[in-house]
Amino acid sequence: MTAQTLYDKLWSSHVVREEADGTVLLYIDRHLVHEVTSPQAFEGLKLAGRGLWRVDSVVSTADHNTPTDHWDEGIKDPISRQQVETLDANIKSFGALAYFPFKDKGQGIVHVMGPEQGATLPGMTVVCGDSHTSTHGAFGALAHGIGTSEVEHVMATQCLVAKKSKNMLVKVNGPLAAGITGKDVALAIIGKIGTAGGTGYAIEFGGEAIRSLSMEGRMTLCNMAIEAGARSGMVAVDDKTIDYVKGRPFAPGVADWDAAVAYWKTLHSDEGAHFDAVVELDASEIKPQVTWGTSPEMVTDIDGSVPDPAAEADPVKKGSIERALSYMGLTANTPVKDIPVDIVFIGSCTNSRIEDLREAAAVARGRKKAASVKQVLVVPGSGLVKAQAEAEGLDKIFIEAGFEWREPGCSMCLAMNADRLQPGERCASTSNRNFEGRQGQGGRTHLVSPAMAAAAGIAGHFVDIRSL
Amino acid sequence: MKAFTTLSGLVCPLDRANVDTDAIIPKQFLKSIKRSGFGPNLFDEWRYLDHGEPGMDNSVRPLNPDFVLNFPRYQGAQVLLARENFGCGSSREHAPWALDDQGFRVVIAPSFADIFFNNCYKNGLLPIVQPAEVVDQLFRECEAQEGYTLTVDLAAQTITTPAGQVFSFDITEHRKHCLLGGLDEIGLTLQHAEQIKAYEAARRQAQPWLFA
């Protein structure tokens, strides 16, 4: 048998049928559902008189619209409230394996909730009407975002109409330097291959640096595969994967555990498997990353400076840099360390897990928010992350530093709830997108790791966390 | 789904790379539980001078005269000409819904983000990939000639310029078949229900832990 990549194995094990042109029906094991991209899909099912093909494949929560403070007051925005209540009603009428509604202790960002519940398992196909579904690839699963028509299609048929992507291996060689996180690795990769570098590919992340990352770090990395253009990113299964899954609510029970583990251990690329593209990075060269523009590929490191459009020959790229600097209110050649911040956001499906909060708290401990910084928001990824952080006393560290400790949700990553930047405000954010208006119209986003964000909140500008 | 066969449409050039789905339809409009009505908020932050929120009367909002979609010469455009990596970012199908609602039926670019590209087909919107030099040429011609239209023939897989120059494009047989017929993809898939059930039964046998 020919050597297969991890992606080849995951793909071929889910093909129900294949057409002559290579279009397949791909079986979906897990369907994660949230309030923003599902109402039109449920409506479509109702209009056609269809139900869910497999109720026990659906795991759902409300995350994008939920407020992160004053939960006693409910959801004040009537349109947001209607969307969340529509999900409540749809789950009640169609059913689900599990539902974590607004204020439930298991509620949280769908990509934090899935793994922590054991609803994401190695070898699965996982879809969700959300591009950051790539996160779940960290478990050796094939996971990607889909649109609402596809959400309805999966609900009705348990399958997706799909075509296979090409294989890309991104190999990060050697050990990471101290203080370098999954976020820095993700941004460094995007800086190298660009936001369209992975378009048409499924990316497997490998190499010593990737193996050394915790499951949280791997989730952060796979989460941002979509920012490199790849719908799915993945990491081979190893002992860390299996240890993370064990004992979680929807993980296999004792009766199935050994068989499951035996299968999961086959979920890696075979020796000699063919990749259509291979990208290699030297881990030792990766420093703390900071984006300066309005696309995640507009990134440099803490020792870098804002680029000069005059130095760019390509007219389309030059125009993009000029427009980005204008939007961001930055001057060419400004050192990153000289950029002041107004707001800090620590949260999102990229960086709101317990390890992320520990890293931010380690920086905040015994220090105070800079007077020039208006607000530092810390938004845990789920109710369970929040409880764990409070059990470890992290909330007290944040509050003593002058940070705000909030309820879980997507929050200021995309600002669908009340947490948003005002025009012109500059934010050090642990989220995934620095697009124009992403965190609020006119808001200016710099993507960084949790430790870098916390440090910017303390210093009032970007600083090298390795020097703290 | 809406069928697509042929179209002769006015072209609107959007000369920016990496146009993301947040720019195509900002997040505040994603709170809607409907599929329609997104057209007036297409490119909202670029198109208007004020901040848009759901429920506003868009007809009285101040338009940004410098944004291409507001130029009198591009009113009624059905073909959007774009740069590389169009539609990057989130999976929101509200992006093709907004383009469709505004009246666009075709988007031509050197490259598209995968999820957006896929979402277009589900809504009778045809995304066409052309080499960067062809897109450059179309941008030049479109900007030089008022009333510039392109003719798109899906069955023949061709784009024809006003001067009669013909460019061909690729599309998978499955997508072409569905678009030409305006077919209900769920209905098509359910024709294979027995095969899905057989696959599922075998999977349940081999990996029982995946089933509750």
Side-chain angles (χ1 to χ4, degrees):
Chain A
M1 201 170 143
T2 51
Q4 290 183 297
T5 65
L6 170 58
Y7 174 61
D8 293 338
K9 292 178 185 182
L10 292 168
W11 178 267
S12 61
S13 64
H14 288 85
V15 172
V16 173
R17 62 175 278 123
E18 183 161 353
E19 307 293 338
D21 71 350
T23 303
V24 310
L25 279 184
L26 193 72
Y27 188 81
I28 302 304
D29 296 307
R30 176 67 67 228
H31 192 179
L32 301 169
V33 174
H34 66 79
E35 80 276 18
V36 180
T37 54
S38 66
Q40 298 88 350
F42 281 117
E43 181 70 15
L45 291 183
K46 276 183 226 162
L47 289 172
R50 292 170 175 141
L52 297 178
W53 178 283
R54 218 186 106 199
V55 172
D56 72 356
S57 69
V58 174
V59 173
S60 181
T61 193
D63 55 6
H64 286 61
N65 281 279
T66 55
T68 60
D69 60 355
H70 299 295
W71 271 12
D72 53 318
E73 295 172 16
I75 304 173
K76 286 183 215 161
D77 177 345
I79 316 178
S80 286
R81 190 170 63 238
Q82 183 193 32
Q83 199 165 54
V84 172
E85 288 173 351
T86 300
L87 179 63
D88 291 341
N90 281 327
I91 295 294
K92 198 172 171 194
S93 99
F94 285 88
L97 175 67
Y99 180 44
F100 304 99
F102 174 46
K103 296 191 196 179
D104 187 280
K105 66 180 190 314
Q107 184 243 346
I109 306 174
V110 67
H111 309 307
V112 176
M113 175 277 289
E116 76 184 4
Q117 293 290 341
T120 301
L121 296 173
M124 274 184 166
T125 42
V126 180
V127 295
C128 175
D130 192 290
S131 60
H132 291 109
T133 309
S134 56
T135 307
H136 307 266
F139 290 83
L142 175 56
H144 63 78
I146 55 178
T148 295
S149 294
E150 292 179 312
V151 169
E152 185 182 339
H153 194 280
V154 173
M155 285 174 169
T157 71
Q158 212 57 41
C159 292
L160 261 189
V161 176
K163 264 204 109 162
K164 196 175 177 191
S165 303
K166 290 178 283 182
N167 277 287
M168 179 185 284
L169 175 64
V170 174
K171 206 169 167 213
V172 186
N173 298 314
L176 290 169
I180 302 303
T181 67
K183 183 63 161 287
D184 301 302
V185 175
L187 287 170
I189 291 168
I190 295 164
K192 186 176 172 89
I193 71 174
T195 51
T199 303
Y201 290 95
I203 298 180
E204 179 177 347
F205 299 102
E208 182 184 346
I210 307 301
R211 299 251 67 84
S212 74
L213 289 174
S214 65
M215 287 313 294
E216 285 85 353
R218 294 176 191 181
M219 283 189 258
T220 300
L221 179 61
C222 290
N223 173 277
M224 292 196 70
I226 185 65
E227 313 315 332
R231 283 204 294 174
S232 48
M234 63 200 79
V235 175
V237 172
D238 61 12
D239 289 343
K240 284 182 190 170
T241 324
I242 294 164
D243 290 346
Y244 182 98
V245 169
K246 194 168 189 177
R248 294 188 183 264
F250 295 102
V254 179
D256 292 324
W257 182 256
D258 290 346
V261 169
Y263 170 61
W264 294 344
K265 286 191 168 173
T266 68
L267 297 174
H268 54 79
S269 290
D270 297 328
E271 192 70 35
H274 173 73
F275 286 91
D276 302 285
V278 177
V279 175
E280 298 202 48
L281 280 80
D282 180 349
S284 67
E285 290 175 3
I286 301 176
K287 299 176 186 175
Q289 303 284 300
V290 182
T291 66
W292 52 265
T294 53
S295 165
E297 70 185 14
M298 293 175 164
V299 62
T300 182
D301 60 50
I302 188 63
D303 295 326
S305 298
V306 174
D308 189 343
E312 177 59 56
D314 179 330
V316 173
K317 282 188 187 153
K318 184 177 178 175
S320 295
I321 296 172
E322 285 169 344
R323 196 154 41 232
L325 294 191
S326 163
Y327 181 86
M328 294 294 290
L330 290 172
T331 309
N333 304 314
T334 303
V336 167
K337 287 174 186 156
D338 290 351
I339 301 174
V341 303
D342 305 307
I343 306 279
V344 174
F345 172 62
I346 298 171
S348 87
C349 60
T350 311
N351 278 132
S352 64
R353 297 179 183 82
I354 189 66
E355 184 183 276
D356 301 317
L357 301 186
R358 286 176 189 146
E359 286 169 4
V363 172
R365 186 188 299 272
R367 297 190 170 103
K368 294 281 183 205
K369 173 182 81 69
S372 59
V373 173
K374 295 183 212 169
Q375 185 180 46
V376 180
L377 273 185
V378 187
V379 182
S382 70
L384 299 185
V385 170
K386 182 168 190 255
Q388 176 67 31
E390 288 174 354
E392 295 178 19
L394 305 186
D395 56 325
K396 293 193 180 63
I397 294 171
F398 291 131
I399 291 164
E400 278 165 22
F403 296 7
E404 293 178 32
W405 178 242
R406 295 291 189 93
E407 304 290 349
C410 298
S411 182
M412 204 190 273
C413 171
L414 87 167
M416 268 187 84
N417 70 357
D419 308 333
R420 64 185 69 167
L421 297 180
Q422 296 304 309
E425 281 182 341
R426 188 179 299 286
C427 180
S429 178
T430 67
S431 56
N432 40 59
R433 291 189 175 134
N434 50 353
F435 298 158
E436 288 185 22
R438 171 80 179 182
Q439 296 193 286
Q441 188 166 13
R444 295 161 170 166
T445 303
H446 296 269
L447 303 175
V448 289
S449 71
M452 284 289 287
I458 303 293
H461 55 86
F462 293 108
V463 289
D464 190 341
I465 45 121
R466 297 170 302 175
S467 65
L468 293 180
Chain B
M1 183 179 75
K2 195 156 62 179
F4 187 102
T5 51
T6 59
L7 172 87
S8 278
L10 183 68
V11 182
C12 177
L14 182 63
D15 195 3
R16 299 185 187 207
N18 298 310
V19 171
D20 58 76
T21 53
D22 279 81
I24 297 173
I25 183 83
K27 81 281 291 179
Q28 61 268 36
F29 304 106
L30 272 50
K31 296 176 188 177
S32 168
I33 58 172
K34 297 185 164 56
R35 262 178 193 264
S36 56
F38 297 102
N41 301 112
L42 175 69
F43 300 120
D44 197 275
E45 292 185 9
W46 294 341
R47 188 170 174 180
Y48 300 99
L49 294 171
D50 63 348
H51 173 72
E53 283 291 332
M56 287 170 79
D57 179 358
N58 295 296
S59 67
V60 299
R61 294 176 58 199
L63 293 171
N64 174 5
D66 297 328
F67 184 55
V68 72
L69 207 64
N70 292 328
F71 293 4
R73 63 185 280 192
Y74 297 126
Q75 297 312 299
Q78 293 178 289
V79 178
L80 186 69
L81 188 59
R83 293 292 184 184
E84 66 250 31
N85 202 27
F86 188 82
C88 60
S90 97
S91 66
R92 60 189 70 167
E93 199 161 314
H94 313 66
W97 292 339
L99 286 161
D100 173 68
D101 204 59
Q102 171 69 24
F104 287 107
R105 302 297 317 279
V106 174
V107 185
I108 301 172
S111 60
F112 292 89
D114 285 339
I115 303 177
F116 173 82
F117 189 69
N118 205 30
N119 284 342
C120 285
Y121 289 107
K122 314 291 180 186
N123 294 283
L125 185 68
L126 179 61
I128 297 178
V129 176
Q130 287 292 292
E133 54 276 18
V134 172
V135 172
D136 275 341
Q137 179 191 329
L138 297 179
F139 264 99
R140 281 195 306 273
E141 292 180 2
C142 180
E143 280 156 11
Q145 183 186 334
E146 199 160 331
Y148 185 83
T149 60
L150 288 171
T151 300
V152 178
D153 183 335
L154 177 56
Q157 297 179 217
T158 56
I159 304 169
T160 308
T161 69
Q165 195 174 359
V166 178
F167 300 102
S168 61
F169 62 87
D170 289 333
I171 182 170
T172 65
E173 276 307 314
H174 178 86
R175 282 170 168 160
K176 184 174 170 178
H177 175 67
C178 289
L179 262 185
L180 283 172
L183 303 178
D184 166 23
E185 213 170 34
I186 293 177
L188 283 182
T189 298
L190 288 175
Q191 289 175 5
H192 306 297
E194 290 310 315
Q195 220 172 337
I196 301 170
K197 283 180 194 160
Y199 173 90
E200 196 166 57
R203 189 156 184 76
R204 190 185 292 268
Q205 191 81 32
Q207 297 185 36
W209 60 86
L210 296 175
F211 296 80

